[in-house]
Amino acid sequence: MQAIVVSNVYKRFGKPADPFWKRMLNHRLGQKSNGNGNGNGGANGNGNGNGNGNGHNGHNSHTQPESRYVVAVDHVSFEVGDGEIFGVLGPNGGGKSTLIRLISTLLLPDSGMISVFGFDVVRQPMRVQQIINRVSVEASFFKKLSPMENLLYGLEGRQTYKQVLEILTRLGLERRSIFNPMDEMSRGMQQKVAIARALLTHPRVLLLDEPTTGLDPRSKREVQTMVRELRDKDGTTIVLTTHDMVEAEQLCNRIAIMDSGRVRALDTPTGLKQLVQKPDAHEPTLEEVFLELTGKQLINKEELQPEEV
């Protein structure tokens, strides 16, 4: 059985075409026009506004702003094997995070199907939630509490305490940091605590949405080592979204290159390079592969955290 099956999934988001101020103005104009049937152009004069001209059945042409849609995931299909680290490589806004939210049941697809170990994310969301966990860039905590207090919240038992201590230590947190308030920690250290929280449940599927963004090089290596251990020792299936080409190549068994909501290519890191390999030329990097397939840079320097530039 495949761990994850994504079949022809489509998701879009709608938003008004006009800015807020214009929508408010149009709304007020629409209110004024309602019932104002005494205008010119053949209104019947009894306040019903049934005539032409300024009546227009009480509607103003500006009261119905058109909506435009942003397609975040555009008919995407792929499968992830049990125990595989599957990477989704792409720029910010390419649809990676939306895809993770769809797999984790936080969003519902407009069409298509997603299953996790045979459980449908739409019809059986509770079953899916029992076997997955998700780590995202915007992890939230009780900042006045320590990492230990956050991770033990709602749990009890000495064994759980020892497990929390072991996981946090493996992720490189010093003992004093484990018991100090989280608002005294860097964002990178807080991200490690978010990963530790996900590992506590021993998920069969771990969804990592850019987990190392903003981390210093040493912290990145520690998190990447933990990801490998989860696959090799625990057999955890991992979906990793990133715009870090080196991270994707070092960690992932296969990589989907995603841009503008679509999967442009899917293969092993070596297979992707062979797609654009030219005779008698050097082996291309994943960044060069992405540029060749999409015509875009993978990431702009302005999007990087200071420690990544």
Side-chain angles (χ1 to χ4, degrees), residues 49-225:
N50 293 321
N52 297 322
N54 294 338
H56 289 295
N57 288 324
H59 293 285
N60 186 287
S61 61
H62 297 289
T63 61
Q64 302 293 329
E66 295 182 358
S67 293
R68 64 176 181 263
Y69 291 95
V70 175
V71 178
V73 177
D74 192 0
H75 301 289
V76 167
S77 298
F78 60 82
E79 296 180 354
V80 180
D82 190 2
E84 180 179 15
I85 299 180
F86 185 87
V88 183
L89 181 66
N92 292 337
K96 306 186 306 295
S97 294
T98 299
L99 182 61
I100 290 292
R101 293 187 180 101
L102 288 166
I103 297 172
S104 65
T105 75
L106 293 177
L107 291 174
L108 296 178
D110 295 330
S111 63
M113 182 275 295
I114 302 174
S115 66
V116 180
F117 282 105
F119 300 117
D120 188 282
V121 299
V122 175
R123 294 185 290 107
Q124 301 165 291
M126 296 297 291
R127 298 298 298 271
V128 173
Q129 292 163 15
Q130 291 171 359
I131 58 177
I132 69 170
N133 215 319
R134 168 179 168 267
V135 177
S136 65
V137 175
E138 69 275 6
S140 59
F141 294 97
F142 297 107
K143 295 297 178 67
K144 296 300 181 182
L145 301 182
S146 68
M148 178 63 74
E149 290 169 327
N150 269 281
L151 268 61
L152 286 178
Y153 189 83
L155 304 174
E156 58 184 25
R158 184 165 184 80
Q159 187 61 34
T160 304
Y161 176 89
K162 290 175 62 178
Q163 185 181 6
V164 170
L165 192 60
E166 177 186 352
I167 292 173
L168 290 173
T169 302
R170 284 172 64 193
L171 284 170
L173 269 73
E174 298 180 359
R175 191 175 182 87
R176 61 179 179 83
S177 299
I178 294 174
F179 298 98
N180 286 340
M182 289 196 62
D183 59 6
E184 298 177 7
M185 302 172 64
S186 67
R187 198 181 70 81
M189 296 296 283
Q190 292 180 20
Q191 187 69 357
K192 290 184 180 182
V193 179
I195 294 171
R197 180 170 60 186
L199 299 183
L200 265 180
T201 61
H202 300 287
R204 293 181 69 185
V205 174
L206 182 58
L207 307 173
L208 299 176
D209 191 7
E210 299 188 12
T212 61
T213 297
L215 299 187
D216 60 87
R218 178 181 175 181
S219 296
K220 274 191 174 186
R221 287 193 297 270
E222 290 168 345
V223 170
Q224 291 165 0
T225 298

Side-chain angles (χ1 to χ4, degrees), residues 13-20 22-23 65-70:
F13 300 97
K15 58 182 179 180
D18 293 331
F20 178 76
K22 192 171 183 180
R23 281 180 279 138
E66 295 182 358
S67 293
R68 64 176 181 263
Y69 291 95
V70 175

Side-chain angles (χ1 to χ4, degrees), residues 8-19:
N8 201 30
V9 169
Y10 180 85
K11 180 66 179 180
R12 72 179 185 180
F13 300 97
K15 58 182 179 180
D18 293 331

